[in-house]
Amino acid sequence: MSGQADISLIVAFGTDMGNAEDAAMTFAESIAEIGIESEAVELNQIELGQLQDASHFVVVVSTFGEGEFPDSATLFWEAISADTDRLEHLHFAVLALGDSSYEFFCNAGKLLDERLEALGAQRMVDRVDVDGFYEEPAKAWTADIIKVMSAQQGATAPQPAAVPAPERGEPRERNVPVRARLAVNRWLNSTASDKEVRHYEIDLAGTGIAYQAGDSLAVHATNDPALVEALLAAFGVGADYAVTGHEQPLGVLLTEQFEIRTPSRALLNLAAGRTTDAEVSAALQSGDTHGGTENSWLYGKDVLDIVTLADLNVDEVLDTLRPLQFRDYSIASSPLEHPAAVHLTVASVRYDLDGRAHGGVASTFLADRCEDVLVHLRPNTHFRLPAGDVPIIMIGPGTGIAPFRAFLQERRATESTGPAWLFFGDRRRDTDFLYGEELQEFTDSGVLTRLDLAFSRDQEAKVYVQQRMQENAEEFYRWLTDGAYVYVCGDADRMAKDVDAALHDIVARCGDLDAAGAHAFVNDLIKSHRYVRDVY
């Protein structure tokens, strides 16, 4: 945070998977070229008093869950949405990142943009809402702000004479994929389980990828050929059908370029306006395929399900489809033990709906059709281990175990002395104890100090990891007061919320705090990065 005589700039981000951070860092690098220096910082690290001292505030923020702010921005939003001083002096701009297939598209960015305006701040450029791939929209947004700030800078102070450009590293190419060989593909749980979880090992030889424990890997999958063929049949055209405005034929576009697993909101609206069934039309407009419950009419439907509901032609449907996006998976290995490979823990998504087999894009691609795969690294700088002597608590049921296997490998390789406590859960111990033998080895060797298990279907009353936390509340709180870091990985919709509620309850009961005190305690953990989540 520094700058020209009359310009004091704060560049901030609220990020979930690193995209907002990357866009904010790129903006800070670009604005430095006109002599305005600033460092991109996490929104949670900004105090409201700093906004009173700044002249300009540029924010990139993603949206998490049901329209919520990501963990790295929740404290800032809590502060600025409460009673606070006016900001008439402040010039601001917001870039909102999101996914339009979710109901609350870019909601965090919209809320922050509206709140800054309500406090009297002056918008430099209109908010930009980005759907999916963010690099090009972020570049255009950055250019627009630089034009505005250049003009303001020129009006308030002379242009600096030959400002030396700060030394910069190589440009970050975050989302450029490289091809890698899938070396291992094996069942991880028992084939007698009612789920299919697989362990993958991807050979990094020749890729240039160097990862850290806590990072994720993006898999660029292709769509299921059977679904592509079914869509072509529904449209009544062949794979070589020429699409206006595209060089590639339809078969290639549906296989490699377009999202055909999750219907876009634009497609839902198109079909709603064309169907002659009033109930179907209402259902199409009522919600989204992500946010609905498993009992909702839309839940789990793919593009083929929607196309068959109304009289739609191929060209108008293509106009509604979103680009096929990569899928992220937490890395389940440490480079200290596996420098030449990345391990992944992936549940294969398969289900029948209306008499037809459906499947996840990347999970079934990896399981059924993959020999080599396009991947790129997704660094997660906030999901990192502390010093080796610091206690850690890891909560990772199901495939959420992945990064904690990496953490335990890392601690074994570095001969760390800090206590480590893992809460793991799944359905049944006999069939779903993922990496069970390895976890026992970690326990026997002392790398893992405590292992608490919750297999929900092994007894009449279901038991989950948050209940194991509550059963060990006093010890859990003692670890917190000893400086433990708490990590959560896995399902965002249910588990993460239940774990968060359990954490607040434990802090309140064992710390003899009221709700406000417990909330402040947990907020302090978040701000100091001692409570971090990798949830999806």
Side-chain angles (χ1 to χ4, degrees), residues 289-471:
T289 53
H290 287 290
T293 67
E294 294 184 16
N295 296 322
S296 71
W297 186 87
L298 268 179
Y299 186 85
K301 283 184 166 54
D302 60 22
V303 168
L304 179 59
D305 291 317
I306 306 305
V307 165
T308 57
L309 293 173
D311 182 17
L312 305 174
N313 68 58
V314 58
D315 293 291
E316 63 185 351
V317 169
L318 286 187
D319 286 341
T320 71
L321 298 184
R322 303 171 66 248
L324 179 60
Q325 299 190 47
F326 51 77
R327 267 58 171 177
D328 278 306
Y329 296 104
S330 301
I331 294 175
S333 54
S334 164
L336 300 184
E337 292 198 355
H338 301 279
V342 158
H343 296 184
L344 303 179
T345 309
V346 181
S348 301
V349 177
R350 306 182 195 271
Y351 58 95
D352 289 331
L353 186 66
D354 299 329
R356 183 168 64 82
H358 291 61
V361 175
S363 65
T364 59
F365 169 77
L366 289 169
D368 302 339
R369 308 187 303 277
C370 181
E371 293 182 358
D372 55 52
V373 57
L374 288 170
V375 297
H376 74 264
L377 186 66
R378 299 272 280 169
N380 191 346
T381 57
H382 303 290
F383 206 81
R384 295 279 189 255
L385 280 168
D389 60 347
V390 175
I392 58 173
I393 299 173
M394 301 165 288
I395 305 162
T399 56
I401 187 64
F404 304 137
R405 179 177 184 260
F407 279 6
L408 292 170
Q409 288 182 1
E410 187 103 348
R411 284 215 152 181
R412 177 169 61 194
T414 55
E415 299 181 349
S416 297
T417 59
W421 188 352
L422 173 65
F423 292 85
F424 173 76
D426 214 308
R427 293 184 178 177
R428 297 176 180 85
R429 184 178 186 126
D430 288 346
T431 60
D432 303 304
F433 193 0
L434 308 184
Y435 301 112
E437 292 183 3
E438 291 184 37
L439 294 178
Q440 190 57 56
E441 291 172 4
F442 284 126
T443 303
D444 293 343
S445 66
V447 174
L448 185 56
T449 312
R450 286 197 59 162
L451 175 60
D452 278 85
L453 303 171
F455 293 102
S456 60
R457 309 302 201 273
D458 275 352
Q459 59 285 311
E460 186 175 347
K462 292 180 181 179
V463 177
Y464 298 104
V465 288
Q466 62 269 20
Q467 289 162 269
R468 295 292 186 232
M469 291 169 59
Q470 294 279 19
E471 292 167 3

Side-chain angles (χ1 to χ4, degrees), residues 140-212:
W141 174 81
T142 294
D144 288 344
I145 298 173
I146 288 176
K147 288 178 185 177
V148 172
M149 293 189 68
S150 294
Q152 292 175 339
Q153 185 186 44
T156 58
Q159 288 287 343
V163 176
E167 292 186 14
R168 309 192 192 287
E170 291 298 314
R172 295 179 308 283
E173 295 186 341
R174 284 178 49 88
N175 296 334
V176 178
V178 294
R179 191 165 295 279
R181 181 176 66 93
L182 180 61
V184 174
N185 171 0
R186 64 175 172 85
W187 276 76
L188 186 57
N189 59 343
S190 166
T191 54
S193 173
D194 50 9
K195 297 194 297 183
E196 175 189 334
V197 181
R198 291 177 181 257
H199 172 86
Y200 299 101
E201 298 180 13
I202 296 175
D203 185 353
L204 297 179
T207 64
I209 290 176
Y211 71 99
Q212 296 185 53

Side-chain angles (χ1 to χ4, degrees), residues 37-59:
E37 293 291 328
S38 183
E39 179 181 358
V41 297
E42 185 181 280
L43 274 167
N44 280 353
Q45 303 305 316
I46 295 173
E47 302 292 340
L48 293 185
Q50 294 174 268
L51 294 186
Q52 295 295 335
D53 297 333
S55 63
H56 291 72
F57 185 38
V58 173
V59 187

Side-chain angles (χ1 to χ4, degrees), residues 108-156:
K110 293 174 183 176
L111 289 174
L112 184 55
D113 182 74
E114 292 167 0
R115 181 57 178 161
L116 289 166
E117 181 182 45
L119 290 172
Q122 305 168 55
R123 189 180 287 105
M124 287 187 283
V125 298
D126 288 341
R127 184 190 72 247
V128 173
D129 296 337
V130 180
D131 184 12
F133 296 113
Y134 65 93
E135 288 93 338
E136 289 305 315
K139 188 183 298 183
W141 174 81
T142 294
D144 288 344
I145 298 173
I146 288 176
K147 288 178 185 177
V148 172
M149 293 189 68
S150 294
Q152 292 175 339
Q153 185 186 44
T156 58

Side-chain angles (χ1 to χ4, degrees), residues 216-283:
S216 296
L217 192 74
V219 172
H220 296 249
T222 55
N223 286 313
D224 182 357
L227 180 56
V228 172
E229 287 296 324
L231 270 171
L232 291 172
F235 290 134
V237 299
D240 59 351
Y241 178 85
V243 181
T244 303
H246 294 273
E247 295 181 2
Q248 297 170 312
L250 180 59
V252 174
L253 294 174
L254 293 179
T255 300
E256 301 177 0
Q257 300 297 325
F258 286 122
E259 174 67 61
I260 59 175
R261 169 65 185 82
T262 303
S264 67
R265 186 159 294 279
L267 176 59
L268 297 180
N269 290 336
L270 176 64
R274 292 289 185 81
T275 180
T276 57
D277 188 320
E279 290 186 8
V280 168
S281 179

